């Protein structure tokens, strides 16, 4: 019986080591996960920005309000529950600026190294117009 116990301990150790490398190898080569989103204020005035993020089951996972100074940025780290997902996930981002302008967009985030860029008062390069709230997916290098 003692011989089987030793084999079981060795097997459990090997499985633990394999799991460790499965989780940590991506971080070793690409670094830590990207933030979930970054808000960029391109306006010369500061703004209050409320961001609510919903998961695939329409459950709110983030509901925060941020004060951005003129031409300032804010980065929101991923909640720990989202850091280890490797498959594409769809989230709904509801962004409200100064309690007046709201934009709601569904975004598919391909992996842990993608984030949502939220731009306040940025220029639309196709039309040349200033857009109060614009959101897009960005990939970190």
């Amino acid at each position: 019986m003692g011989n089987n116990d030793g084999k079981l301990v060795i097997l459990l150790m090997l499985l633990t080591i394999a799991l460790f490398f499965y989780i940590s190898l991506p971080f070793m080569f690409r670094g830590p996960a990207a933030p979930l989103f970054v808000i960029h204020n391109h306006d010369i005035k500061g703004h209050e920005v409320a961001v609510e993020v919903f998961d695939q089951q329409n459950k709110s996972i983030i509901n925060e309000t941020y004060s951005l100074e003129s031409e300032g940025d804010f980065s929101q780290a991923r909640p720990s529950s989202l850091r280890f997902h490797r498959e594409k996930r769809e989230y709904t981002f509801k962004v409200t600026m100064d309690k007046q302008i709201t934009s709601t967009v569904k975004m598919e985030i391909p992996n842990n190294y993608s984030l949502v860029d939220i731009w306040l008062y940025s220029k639309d390069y196709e039309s040349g117009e200033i857009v109060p709230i614009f959101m897009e997916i960005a990939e970190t290098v």
Side-chain angles (χ1 to χ4, degrees), residues 7 31-32 39 46 50 55 58 60-61 63 66 74 79 91 122 137 140:
K7 289 180 181 177
I39 305 170
D55 66 10
N58 208 29
S60 179
I61 56 173
N63 188 4
Y66 311 96
F74 176 82
Y91 298 95
S122 67
I137 296 290
T140 60

Side-chain angles (χ1 to χ4, degrees), residues 14-106:
L14 289 173
L15 286 172
T16 302
I17 291 169
L19 181 62
F20 171 77
F21 280 110
Y22 176 76
I23 291 172
S24 63
L25 277 178
F27 297 113
M28 290 180 194
F29 293 109
R30 292 208 54 194
L36 182 59
F37 62 85
V38 177
I39 305 170
H40 308 275
N41 182 11
H42 284 222
D43 197 10
I44 59 172
K45 296 188 323 186
H47 294 283
E48 180 182 277
V49 181
V51 178
E52 190 165 13
V53 181
F54 301 91
D55 66 10
Q56 299 88 334
Q57 289 78 36
N58 208 29
K59 178 184 166 200
S60 179
I61 56 173
I62 292 178
N63 188 4
E64 298 288 335
T65 301
Y66 311 96
S67 292
L68 272 80
E69 294 185 21
S70 66
E71 299 179 359
D73 296 329
F74 176 82
S75 175
Q76 173 64 52
R78 286 175 192 265
S80 58
S81 61
L82 304 180
R83 289 191 186 151
F84 299 108
H85 293 286
R86 294 201 174 130
E87 68 276 357
K88 292 180 184 179
R89 297 248 171 159
E90 187 174 84
Y91 298 95
T92 302
F93 285 76
K94 180 181 176 186
V95 178
T96 303
M97 183 174 49
D98 299 328
K99 298 178 183 172
Q100 295 177 356
I101 302 170
T102 299
S103 178
T104 303
V105 177
K106 279 191 178 190

Side-chain angles (χ1 to χ4, degrees), residues 85-136:
H85 293 286
R86 294 201 174 130
E87 68 276 357
K88 292 180 184 179
R89 297 248 171 159
E90 187 174 84
Y91 298 95
T92 302
F93 285 76
K94 180 181 176 186
V95 178
T96 303
M97 183 174 49
D98 299 328
K99 298 178 183 172
Q100 295 177 356
I101 302 170
T102 299
S103 178
T104 303
V105 177
K106 279 191 178 190
M107 307 290 273
E108 186 175 78
I109 300 177
N111 55 51
N112 284 341
Y113 306 103
S114 300
L115 60 100
V116 174
D117 267 330
I118 302 169
W119 303 90
L120 305 180
Y121 290 105
S122 67
K123 187 175 186 177
D124 180 340
Y125 292 105
E126 290 180 15
S127 68
E129 295 181 22
I130 300 297
V131 179
I133 301 172
F134 178 74
M135 291 180 256
E136 67 181 348

